[in-house]
Amino acid sequence: MSTRKLLAAGSTLLIALRLLAGPGGGTADRLWRAGAAGLAEAARTHDASVVSAADAVEPLPTPAPESTPLPQETSAPEAVDAAVPTTAPDGRAILPTTLTGGMTMKNETDFSPDLAALLAAGPGLSLPADGPQVLILHTHTSEAYTPDGIDRYTASGTARTEDLNYNIVRVGDVLADALTAQGLSVLHDRTIYDYPSYTGSYSRSGAAVEAALAANPTLRVVIDLHRDALSDDQVVYKTLAELPDLACAQVMLLVGTNGSGLDHPDWEGHLRLAAYLQNAVNADHPTLMRPITLVKERYNQHLAPGSILIEVGSSGNTLQEALRASELFGQSAGRALAALIGA
């Protein structure tokens, strides 16, 4: 972002503070005047190599919760962009990207399934009318996103935290609420399975799935919710759906097979369900979904006929972008799953 755009963002924030200050003196008024003077000085030296929007507003206090909310600013997109992180927690640059999805598939196996034919065949799944129908859990529970001005956490690794308010479990909370709002009965397992030992995560989460299925025989859909990691040596990628309002991550459905040699004979049924959900979400939000990914590994999906692994965003995304993606996906996929009750 150019220096001038950063200055514009600072001006927008100072205007908001001026509205809070009101007429006359007071602390907010003095802070506004000091900030305005500092911004004016920055404008006079705008050819400097870097002007940080965060530095421009750092001295300003966060408005108290009891303050009257200000109207949403819709005419200054620079103010929103200024708050978006441009570097990942490890210092690599963040590069936004939109991965074209729709009814397409990234096939990493030796199989050659016909996605259109599988979609036409239908999901082949029926949900009971009573009892829990959907289980959400997180094999890699500590997966988190790039911190921003809203969401910051104590890290337990690069883009990882045990704080359930800021890792993938929070995204699962939103998904569970969105599915429930569509009439589904959802269990959300918020147990940490990948910390302190990452090794053995799938063994531990697999045992949890088996226990949940034994205790709740009405479960038909098992969602292992993850955050993706897209990067190279110098760049961390963030996925972005092309939506007209707020920034939103993309979502990917991953289906395992028996290509690794492990027993998983019914993987095509899982792919049928993935195609069914992909099609339903794509109808509402054409750029929200990345291509379905078909892999050789089975990722515990042999344990239940409606198992699927879902990746929401990447480590370059912010938590807020992932939460928006989870809600939109849950609304559309939830309607599609609710249509299977009693089918």
Side-chain angles (χ1 to χ4, degrees), residues 11-26 28-33 36 60 70:
S11 298
T12 301
L13 292 172
L14 285 172
I15 290 170
L17 183 65
R18 188 68 183 111
L19 292 174
L20 286 174
D29 183 69
R30 289 193 298 274
L31 286 170
W32 173 81
R33 292 180 184 279
L60 305 180
L70 296 175

Side-chain angles (χ1 to χ4, degrees), residues 35-106:
L39 195 63
E41 178 62 23
R44 286 192 292 270
T45 58
H46 71 275
D47 58 340
S49 60
V50 177
V51 176
S52 169
D55 291 342
V57 302
E58 184 176 359
L60 305 180
T62 301
E66 63 271 18
S67 300
T68 302
L70 296 175
Q72 292 293 319
E73 185 67 50
T74 58
S75 60
E78 293 85 0
V80 176
D81 292 343
V84 176
T86 57
T87 56
D90 62 3
R92 286 180 292 176
I94 294 176
L95 181 64
T97 184
T98 300
L99 303 172
T100 303
M103 292 307 299
T104 60
M105 182 171 62
K106 178 183 178 184

Side-chain angles (χ1 to χ4, degrees), residues 175-233:
L175 178 59
D177 289 344
L179 296 179
T180 300
Q182 299 302 320
L184 296 165
S185 179
V186 181
L187 299 180
H188 185 197
D189 181 355
R190 305 174 88 245
T191 306
I192 295 178
Y193 292 110
D194 67 338
Y195 197 85
S197 175
Y198 189 85
T199 302
S201 300
Y202 275 99
S203 295
R204 291 187 288 273
S205 66
V209 170
E210 290 178 317
L213 292 171
N216 303 276
T218 57
L219 286 171
R220 293 293 181 274
V221 177
V222 177
I223 296 173
D224 192 356
L225 196 65
H226 290 248
R227 178 267 298 146
D228 205 355
L230 303 173
S231 64
D232 56 32
D233 291 340

